[in-house]
Structures are given as C-alpha cells and as structure tokens.
Amino acid sequence: MLIVTDVAKSYGPQELFSGASFQINPRERVGMVGRNGHGKTTLLRLITGREEPDEGKIEFSKGYRVGYLEQHLTFAQPTILDEAALGLMPGAEHESWRAEKILRGLGFGSRDLTRAASEFSGGYQSRIHLARVLVSEPDLLILDEPTNYLDITALRWLQRFLATWPRELLLVTHNRNFMDGVVTHVVGIHRQKVRKFPGDTQQYYNLILQEEEVFESTRQKEERKRAHAERFITRFRAKARLAGMVQSRVKMLEKQDRKEKLTALESLEFSFTSLSFAAKVMLGVDDLTFGYHLEKKPLIDGLTFHIGRGDRIGVVGPNGRGKTTLLRLLAGELQPWSGSIRPHPTLTTAYYGQTNIDRLQAQRNVVEEILTASPDVTPQRARDLAGAMLFSGDHALKPISVLSGGERARVLLGKLLATPAHMLLLDEPTNHLDLESCDSLLGAIDSFDGAVVMVTHNEMLLEALATRLIVFDRGAITSYEGPYREFLERVGWEEDSDDSHACIIAPDDDDPPVRRMSRKERAKFVQDRARALRPLQQKVDDLEAAVAAAEQELNEVNAALVDASGSGDGEQIAELGRRAHELTPQIESSYAALDAATTALEAETANWPEPL
C-alpha cells in the first residue's frame, strides 16, 4: 500500500501542489492525469524517492516493492532475453519463459530474442526496459508514458496485460483510450490540488466540471447576496432605527469568506487553416514501390489509392513497416522506386513529421521559428500562434535549445497552423501532448475542411476521425474502405506469431497461385480461431498464475521458517515445515500441467495457420 499525506512541492515561486493526500490500496490500478507542467512527473519522482517533498510524507507498507520504468537506458547482457530476465524475482531466475512471453507481447519475434539490445532502435530498447520492469512483478508498478514507443498491436497487448495486473499500478499516459481500458481510479492534479476518484478519466473530468460549475454558481449567488447587503448598509447606515439590522449585515459580511473567481486554465486551443479546393481528387497513388535497400524486399510494394477532398485516412500498423516512409513519400521528401504519386497541380500540403522536431533551429526562439513557416506570416501572427501553443509573454522568446520535447512538438504544431493547406500529413501528432491537448487536436482535425492523412497508434483518434484506412499488417499493405471500428470487427489485427517480426520472404515465381480469403471469410476464420484457442490460452494463463502464487507462498513460508528458527518457536516451525512439504509437490505438479497445456495450445495454434 502507498500512502501520501499532506505533500507539497514548489520550484521557486511556482507551486505545483500542496496538501496532496491519497493512498493506493491493494489491487487498485490508478491513472494520474493533469496538464503538462502541472506536476505529474514530479509527483512520480517524489513517490520513487528521486526527489524530496517540501512538506508531508510518503509511506509504503513494510517490504513493499516498487517497479519504475527508468528513462536512462543501460544494457550489459548479450541478448534481449537475458536483459529482460534480469527483472525476474529471486528464486525465479531460470523461468525465462516469463520474460519471453512479455517480450513477444511487446512485439519481439522469436529471432529477436537472441539479438543484442544495441541492435535495436531507441524505441525498441525502451520496450526491453519495459519488459524488465513488468517481469519483476513489483507490488506497485509505476509507468510514466509507457505508450510513447509502442505500436498499435503492442499497445493493445499491454492494455490487456495491465487490465489484469494483480497488484497495484500507477499509470501516466496521454492515451485516454489506453488509460480508461486499464484503471480503476484516477488521481488528478488540478489547480495545485491532488485528489483521487473512483472510475475512469471521463468520470473524473465530468466530476471536475460539475464541481466547478457548482462553485461558480454558488460564488455568483453569494456575490449577489453580498452586493445586496452592501447596498443595504450604504443606504441605511445613518438611520438609527435600522442600526441593528445594518450592524447584523456588517458582521455577516465580516464572517463570510469571499470566493475568488476561478482563473481560466491555459488550454491548447487552435484550428488549422484550410484552403478551398474545387477538384474531387487531391492526390493519386498508383502502383507505388519503395525501399531503402535495393537488395532487399521493398518496404512498400504496389500500393494504389487516392485522396479525396474531405478524406480522413488513418495509416495504421506495427512499427517498422513503412508508415512514416509513406507519409514522407506523400510529402515529397522521398522519391518512389517505381509507380507514381500524382498531386493535383494546385495542391498545398502541410506536413507534421516525427523527425521534424529535430529540424527546429536551436538558436531561434519560438516566434522566430514560427515565422519561418510561411512568408505570409507576420510577427503579430507568429506571436498569436505562439500564444495558442501556450507560449505567452516572454515564453514566446525562449530559445528552442531550452525547450522540452513536448514544447518543441507544440512549436512544430504552431508552424503547421501558420501554413494554410489543402491537405494535412500528420505523423504521430499526439506524442508529447497531454490529454486536454489531444482533445483540442482532435477537434481541430475534425473541423479542418481539407483532407487529412494521419499515422497514429491512438485508437481514440482513429475511432473518432478515420473514415478510411491504409493498413500495414500481415506482411502487406492494404486499403480498407471503412472506419476503424468496422475494421476491428471484420478483419482485426494479426495475432503475433512466432515469426511475426522476422524477414518476409517473397514466394517463388513458380509457386501455384493461392486464392486469398474474402473479408467475410477472414472475419469468420478469426472468430473460429479465437473460439478454439481461447479456452486453451485461458488454461495456460490460469496455470501460470497458480504456479506464481504457489512459488510466492513457498518463498514466504521459507522466510517465515528462518524467522521461526531464530526465535526457537517449535510449534510454528513444525507447521511451516508441513506447509512447505505440501507446496513443493504442488508446484512440481503445476509445472507439469503447465507444460502439457502449453504443448496443447501450440499444437492447436498450428492447426489455425494465418490465412492469405
């Protein structure tokens, strides 16, 4: 159990919060929310002991273990499986299957497990660290933005994993759908106060809105009563026969605390500027093929689609399959190997790319950087856009070099707003934005009159906005003519297979053609496969949980035996010895059952090969 009591923290004149008191009880999964800069990361650092509070105290139950996803990445083991297995609890060092299961869920294939961590990108290295924390099975698991480097399939796996987390969880993420699918409670940092509520983020924000509406209504009512009393006092102060009534009202006003009007919180409020476009088709893509290495299979092969006025196209799929590359091709930053990209002659495009943040000039300030977006941007317009991106007053003159990643993302958004366009190309635009800013972005995209092509793993945005999809999955790129929810119901994502992240080998030209399943047939196949595999998978999960529980109990019994031996309590020693004697064959039996169940699951899975 975690208990936070009257904690306060300030940096100079800036007070983040005061009087913070809450506790996380057994099996509670808590999401922490609050605007960027309001103290979420600071509160996590206080809880993990990396900083000290100015006031108050933070306490844990005796022997309570806390697992925290570190931002500084270090690796010393020869393989990523060895790295993840470092997190295994004492006594479980040889149960590497636990680490392997988590690595597989986070998107690593069987061939990846024997590779060194240095061979992977920074995003995948973060996943290795995440696996190490998850496999350590702490009493309190603390995750600060674990979704930043996960693709959509890994996100969906992690959400399911955390939703069944058997101990305590404290989660910070900008992905509202992800958080609401996991948490049982919300801790909110709002107006320098920290409070805990049951429910998800929607219930939390509704409650905060209701409370502030009631506060404002009460404040206005009290102000009207105060004004009435003050008029009475002024009017009748000189009349002797009303002196008692006047004095009564004076005393009432002296006792009454005056409610101050709530200050408006800074919010990221903006809209994209769209140019009118008369033609029906903005851009056509025909038989597009591209790769980075001529000797390897193309990353994009034979892709054909068009972008029409008003389209909202979601580009979705696991990382490393070519989603960002497709946007760079559409933006003209890369040239196809073959095929064509045919923009309308009058088309103007605005591109927000993941790597574009690194292209901001460190020596410029925020206003100067926004000014470079378009020759038509005036200094006043740049100032206004900086303010819309929460860089008001002197903050608009801060150099890029001192800005955080989230602040640089807002500068890049400001530059995008300064560029009137027919079409927006957005690559992971919600990264580094808090929940409120994500909501503002959703509204801005929804009201944009032109077309939008967006790479995102945020399923809330996909469900709210996407009318069509370009799907990178199952070793191919397909266009799905329908919304994201329909795609999930009719097609769904490929279940991670043993070689899902291995190289895809093109079939020999002499192989006979194979008929591909229709969308309807594939949907039925996926349902039938899930129906066949689900009970077997559930049995494996139940046995894993039983083994883990029995081993945990045995560790506790052995520890208690040591204590009892030291105190010479013969009766307790005998009782604990009997329990240890019972648990040992029970654990061995469970391992045998787990091995049999896993074999049965693998055999049944082989009967359901991935359809073409």
Side-chain angles (χ1 to χ4, degrees):
M1 179 183 293
L2 164 68
I3 303 174
V4 177
T5 307
D6 291 330
V7 166
K9 187 65 179 179
S10 300
Y11 292 104
Q14 182 189 11
E15 180 186 273
L16 290 179
F17 43 78
S18 63
S21 296
F22 66 93
Q23 64 184 44
I24 298 181
N25 300 309
R27 299 182 66 85
E28 287 185 347
R29 300 187 300 275
V30 180
M32 186 185 296
V33 300
R35 296 169 186 268
N36 282 347
H38 282 206
K40 298 190 300 295
T41 297
T42 297
L43 184 52
L44 292 187
R45 292 181 62 81
L46 295 175
I47 291 172
T48 56
R50 284 154 178 78
E51 291 191 36
E52 293 295 325
D54 300 334
E55 299 175 10
K57 57 183 179 179
I58 297 172
E59 301 170 290
F60 300 97
S61 302
K62 186 177 180 181
Y64 202 70
R65 297 184 305 112
V66 177
Y68 181 53
L69 183 60
E70 299 280 1
Q71 301 301 315
H72 182 61
L73 307 182
T74 58
F75 300 103
Q77 301 301 309
T79 71
I80 66 168
L81 181 58
D82 294 328
E83 292 286 356
L86 286 177
L88 288 166
M89 294 178 61
E93 293 90 348
H94 301 295
E95 298 172 20
S96 60
W97 58 269
R98 298 176 185 272
E100 179 178 348
K101 181 177 179 180
I102 291 174
L103 286 169
R104 294 283 300 281
L106 292 174
F108 294 95
S110 58
R111 300 181 187 178
D112 295 329
L113 301 181
T114 57
R115 296 169 60 191
S118 60
E119 298 178 29
F120 294 89
S121 66
Y124 275 92
Q125 289 181 355
S126 294
R127 297 190 194 193
I128 299 167
H129 264 260
L130 176 58
R132 184 190 299 176
V133 174
L134 295 179
V135 82
S136 69
E137 300 181 355
D139 297 303
L140 174 62
L141 174 62
I142 300 179
L143 298 178
D144 187 6
E145 296 291 0
T147 65
N148 274 354
Y149 300 103
L150 300 184
D151 56 38
I152 200 162
T153 51
L155 271 175
R156 293 168 67 82
W157 177 88
L158 182 60
Q159 186 181 53
R160 293 192 299 271
F161 182 90
L162 295 179
T164 58
W165 183 253
R167 289 166 291 279
E168 289 83 81
L169 170 69
L170 184 56
L171 170 69
V172 175
T173 176
H174 64 269
N175 190 321
R176 178 173 291 180
N177 261 26
F178 183 91
M179 180 175 283
D180 286 348
V182 169
V183 303
T184 60
H185 295 73
V186 170
V187 165
I189 303 177
H190 184 68
R191 299 188 185 278
Q192 289 81 50
K193 299 299 177 184
V194 181
R195 291 191 296 165
K196 177 185 169 190
F197 300 89
D200 59 19
T201 61
Q202 187 63 52
Q203 293 166 301
Y204 164 76
Y205 284 114
N206 285 343
L207 185 59
I208 291 294
L209 181 62
Q210 291 170 10
E211 287 183 350
E212 298 207 338
E213 286 176 347
V214 169
F215 177 92
E216 183 61 18
S217 175
T218 303
R219 186 193 67 81
Q220 291 178 2
K221 184 177 180 180
E222 290 182 358
E223 284 297 311
R224 288 193 295 269
K225 290 174 66 177
R226 174 180 287 273
H228 180 77
E230 288 173 344
R231 285 196 300 270
F232 183 92
I233 293 167
T234 302
R235 185 175 180 183
F236 300 112
R237 186 187 297 273
K239 294 186 180 293
R241 67 186 180 86
L242 297 178
M245 296 178 66
V246 169
Q247 197 60 31
S248 174
R249 281 163 173 74
V250 170
K251 289 180 179 180
M252 179 193 74
L253 292 181
E254 289 174 348
K255 292 179 179 178
Q256 188 181 65
D257 291 330
R258 192 162 193 167
K259 288 182 169 65
E260 297 295 330
K261 184 176 182 179
L262 295 174
T263 57
L265 295 173
E266 283 192 323
S267 297
L268 197 67
E269 295 291 345
F270 58 91
S271 61
F272 297 106
T273 305
S274 56
L275 298 172
S276 60
F277 195 83
K280 185 177 180 180
V281 176
M282 289 185 168
L283 182 145
V285 175
D286 296 309
D287 200 24
L288 176 65
T289 299
F290 177 83
Y292 290 100
H293 305 285
L294 290 173
E295 67 277 8
K296 293 185 179 180
K297 187 178 185 294
L299 200 59
I300 298 171
D301 192 6
L303 179 61
T304 297
F305 68 98
H306 71 275
I307 302 172
R309 188 177 62 238
D311 275 346
R312 300 289 186 268
I313 301 176
V315 182
V316 295
N319 284 344
R321 303 297 176 90
K323 302 185 303 298
T324 293
T325 297
L326 176 59
L327 252 64
R328 293 184 66 193
L329 286 162
L330 297 180
E333 290 191 352
L334 299 172
Q335 297 304 312
W337 281 2
S338 62
S340 63
I341 298 174
R342 296 176 291 100
H344 190 279
T346 65
L347 180 68
T348 300
T349 299
Y351 175 44
Y352 178 97
Q354 290 186 58
T355 59
N356 289 5
I357 292 177
D358 299 328
R359 301 178 190 177
L360 299 175
Q361 297 300 306
Q363 72 276 12
R364 293 176 183 153
N365 62 39
V366 174
V367 171
E368 290 169 342
E369 190 63 53
I370 294 176
L371 277 169
T372 66
S374 169
D376 297 327
V377 180
T378 65
Q380 185 57 52
R381 172 64 173 158
R383 272 275 188 177
D384 293 343
L385 289 173
M389 295 296 102
L390 307 184
F391 295 105
S392 56
D394 291 341
H395 291 292
L397 303 179
K398 290 172 70 174
I400 302 299
S401 59
V402 304
L403 300 184
S404 66
E407 289 172 324
R408 295 187 187 204
R410 297 206 306 270
V411 174
L412 198 60
L413 275 176
K415 295 184 69 172
L416 201 68
L417 299 176
T419 310
H422 302 113
M423 181 168 68
L424 301 177
L425 302 176
L426 307 176
D427 190 5
E428 292 291 356
T430 61
N431 278 1
H432 306 293
L433 298 183
D434 57 30
L435 293 180
E436 291 83 1
S437 298
C438 287
D439 290 346
S440 297
L441 177 66
L442 190 156
I445 295 173
D446 187 50
S447 60
F448 180 68
D449 288 337
V452 179
V453 183
M454 178 173 57
V455 173
T456 183
H457 301 304
N458 190 316
E459 293 188 286
M460 181 187 75
L461 261 66
L462 290 170
E463 292 187 11
L465 298 172
T467 56
R468 296 166 52 203
L469 302 171
I470 297 174
V471 183
F472 289 70
D473 196 31
R474 299 175 173 89
I477 310 172
T478 57
S479 178
Y480 185 84
E481 301 297 322
Y484 183 67
R485 177 52 54 187
E486 180 184 295
F487 164 78
L488 290 179
E489 293 170 352
R490 295 191 176 185
V491 180
W493 293 104
E494 178 185 25
E495 294 182 10
D496 285 344
S497 62
D498 215 35
D499 294 309
S500 60
H501 292 266
C503 296
I504 300 166
I505 308 300
D508 295 335
D509 293 338
D510 295 335
D511 287 349
V514 180
R515 186 183 76 83
R516 294 182 177 272
M517 282 188 180
S518 67
R519 201 171 285 145
K520 184 176 181 180
E521 289 172 327
R522 179 183 291 276
K524 184 177 184 304
F525 176 88
V526 170
Q527 291 173 355
D528 291 343
R529 177 174 59 184
R531 194 177 297 115
L533 298 182
R534 190 178 296 116
L536 296 173
Q537 182 63 61
Q538 186 61 53
K539 186 175 183 180
V540 169
D541 292 343
D542 290 345
L543 285 167
E544 287 179 1
V547 168
E551 288 188 333
Q552 177 66 23
E553 185 180 354
L554 182 59
N555 289 336
E556 292 171 355
V557 167
N558 287 334
L561 268 171
V562 173
D563 293 340
S565 298
S567 62
D569 188 339
E571 184 177 343
Q572 188 180 19
I573 290 172
E575 182 180 342
L576 291 170
R578 281 194 299 272
R579 185 55 184 154
H581 184 71
E582 292 170 356
L583 284 170
T584 302
Q586 179 183 324
I587 291 172
E588 292 176 357
S589 176
S590 295
Y591 267 120
L594 176 60
D595 182 59
T598 303
T599 301
L601 175 60
E602 291 173 349
E604 185 63 22
T605 301
N607 293 331
W608 295 88
E610 185 60 43
L612 296 173

